[in-house]
Amino acid sequence: MRLLLHFARTYPARSLLTLLALLLAGLLDGLGLSSLLTMLVSMSGDADGAGLPLPARQVRQFLAGLGISPQLGPLLALMVLAMAGKAALRLAANAQVGYTVARVATDIRLGLLRAVLGSRWEYYLRTPIGRLSNAISGESNRAAGAYFDAAQMMAVLVQGLVYAVLALLVSWQATLAALLLGGLLMSGMGGLVRRARQAGTRQSQLTARLVTYLTDVLQSVKPLKAMGREDLADGILARQTRQIDKALRKQVIAKETLPAVQEPLLAALAAGGLYLAMAHLGLSLASVMVVIFLLARLLGYFTKVQREYQRMVSAEGGFWMLHDAIVDAQAAAEPPTGSAVPSLTRSVELRDVRFAYGEQPVLDGINLVIPAGHFTTLIGPSGAGKTTLVDVVIGLLQPQSGQVLIDGRPLPELDRQTWRRMIGYVPQDTLLLHDSVLVNVTLGDPALGRDDAERALRQAGAWDFVATLEQGLDTPVGERGGKLSGGQRQRIAIARALVHQPALLILDEPTSALDAAAEVAVRDTLRDLKGRYTLLAITHRPALLDVSDHVFHIVKGTLHRASEPVS
């Protein structure tokens, strides 16, 4: 019931409206049923109603108080009106459930997405992308399905309670006996429900693992195929798929075993209730007829409640996995920052900055001044701390000691989001969307138009080749930009970084994957940008060193000037 309580607290208004509609529908169902019983018994010859069970007598008295004769016509009309009212209320309840199911899926997706986007950079380093993709795309639907199953269970439970009240009014002894035996039956079937819950949770875990691995494989499919090693990935994926199939089989077996076992046991319970009513309780024929009908319906609702509960617990594994992922991401949220508006007219400065991943030091007392309007380059071997230094400047990582100053103001005092929007970033791995050149440059920002994209492409030295493409700015670039050359992809990435006219342009190994001609072209582009932007580059290639104003060498987390300013 933990899931039901969680949904009730999260969506109190909709849950209350749904419950109220279900209760009213149940009452109307009871009224219609009592009318039907009154009509059947009256038709059997009991004109004065002495042999009617209590619910039917109360309906008869209610009609008499309204001046309505308990004859076939009025009883049929009351029954039809009650059934119509029940149908309308059930429709209203189901509409609320449908709206909430869609809301649950949306809220979970957005909640996870916002929590992830607001988390520290360290969270991204330790969390597989495939796990997040699976959670947002697949598990969110299962989580919403858990709410639907919970609502269906509540609907069946309310109907069952109405029938239980009517049955108690007819014969509390037979009803209590049936309820007790039904409760024991549900308890005995609890093992199947637990197996379904375990199988559902296992299925969620295995699916997340499969999608995570599949994402990694698809990102690396080219080298795998080039080396003829795709069979290795196929073997692992096949093994994980078989594990999911095994968990699904367990879930199906538990699900189908439950009704198969319930039906004969419930038939035995119904027969026992009938025997008790006729042989030992001395009920009238009319009451016996009512008891048989009510107990059969009541015990049927027992089975439906347990089946819906089993469906809910089978799906709730996905919900709690998503819930835990959101909590995990929220726990890794970036710390709050100040509200001062940053500017970059003088410099970015690092003072005695130290940073470590756990016990492993990466930056050891870095002191660096990056003058505004100049081109500063960092060189050094892999693992020396170049990228970590850049991440500290951006504010993705917070140093354990020391300060980052923007025009003399500590970075934590500044509005972090405003500072980052002043940065253009070109990563080492050029990641392009499977979309048009325009979307890849503007990232769909509605504030940026075609003129902005063209300006940025011209600054990046990319407009000449974009203008010759078949559809120009609207030309699709293919998966990860596969329809373009390496140099073309890199120039579009530079245009993307320039389109919002940043104050600081950061380039992480911008020429490492390019041939000599493309490297020279990118170098010339960056030289043209010098003076218009503050540039900070990471490289180990000599081409950029020739056009840099300041070059620094990082060795084992310490910084050394590698050259004097270029004249």
Side-chain angles (χ1 to χ4, degrees), residues 238-257:
R239 183 166 63 251
Q240 293 179 346
T241 302
R242 285 193 294 269
Q243 290 175 338
I244 294 175
D245 180 64
K246 183 178 179 181
L248 182 59
R249 285 201 306 270
K250 289 182 178 180
Q251 185 176 342
V252 170
I253 291 173
K255 177 182 175 182
E256 297 303 324
T257 302

Side-chain angles (χ1 to χ4, degrees), residues 112-129:
L112 180 58
L113 184 61
R114 288 165 181 165
V116 168
L117 292 177
S119 62
R120 294 185 180 93
W121 182 241
E122 294 93 327
Y123 174 83
Y124 294 90
L125 298 179
R126 63 179 171 84
T127 304
I129 294 176

Side-chain angles (χ1 to χ4, degrees), residues 424-426 494 497-498 502-507 526 529 533-536:
Y425 182 70
V426 181
I494 294 174
L498 293 173
L504 172 63
L505 179 61
I506 296 177
L507 306 106
L526 297 178
L529 295 174
Y533 299 95
T534 301
L535 284 83
L536 174 61

Side-chain angles (χ1 to χ4, degrees), residues 2 5 29 59 66 119 155 159 161 250 253 262 270 283 373 393 409-410 485 522 526:
R2 178 187 170 203
L5 294 175
D29 191 22
V59 170
L66 296 177
S119 62
Q159 288 181 305
L161 289 175
K250 289 182 178 180
I253 291 173
Q262 281 178 331
L283 298 179
V393 169
R409 299 200 65 170
S485 69
V522 170
L526 297 178

Side-chain angles (χ1 to χ4, degrees), residues 142-169:
R142 289 192 67 207
Y147 177 85
F148 177 80
D149 294 329
Q152 292 296 104
M153 185 187 74
M154 289 301 300
V156 175
L157 183 61
V158 169
Q159 288 181 305
L161 289 175
V162 171
Y163 279 87
V165 171
L166 292 175
L168 285 169
L169 292 174

Side-chain angles (χ1 to χ4, degrees), residues 201-244:
T201 301
R202 178 67 172 161
Q203 183 183 356
S204 295
Q205 294 170 344
L206 291 172
T207 301
R209 187 188 306 171
L210 173 65
V211 174
T212 298
Y213 186 77
L214 179 61
T215 301
D216 293 339
V217 167
L218 293 178
Q219 289 178 340
S220 308
V221 68
K222 186 173 182 179
L224 286 174
K225 290 185 70 65
M227 297 184 293
R229 308 302 294 275
E230 63 268 27
D231 58 313
L232 299 178
D234 177 83
I236 295 175
L237 289 170
R239 183 166 63 251
Q240 293 179 346
T241 302
R242 285 193 294 269
Q243 290 175 338
I244 294 175

Side-chain angles (χ1 to χ4, degrees), residues 245-326:
D245 180 64
K246 183 178 179 181
L248 182 59
R249 285 201 306 270
K250 289 182 178 180
Q251 185 176 342
V252 170
I253 291 173
K255 177 182 175 182
E256 297 303 324
T257 302
L258 186 64
V261 174
Q262 281 178 331
E263 290 179 3
L265 291 177
L266 288 174
L269 285 176
L274 175 61
Y275 177 79
L276 177 65
M278 296 186 66
H280 297 284
L281 299 181
L283 298 179
S284 66
L285 178 60
S287 294
V288 169
M289 291 170 56
V290 173
V291 167
I292 294 173
F293 179 80
L294 290 176
L295 288 184
R297 296 297 297 269
L298 178 59
L299 294 174
Y301 282 124
F302 264 95
T303 66
K304 290 182 181 179
V305 167
Q306 194 165 34
R307 290 177 194 174
E308 295 297 339
Y309 180 70
Q310 186 187 53
R311 291 191 182 97
M312 182 187 74
V313 299
S314 297
E316 72 171 331
F319 174 84
W320 291 119
M321 188 178 77
L322 276 172
H323 181 269
D324 293 343
I326 293 174

Side-chain angles (χ1 to χ4, degrees), residues 508-521:
D508 188 350
E509 296 284 4
T511 62
S512 62
L514 305 182
D515 57 31
E519 181 182 32
V520 170

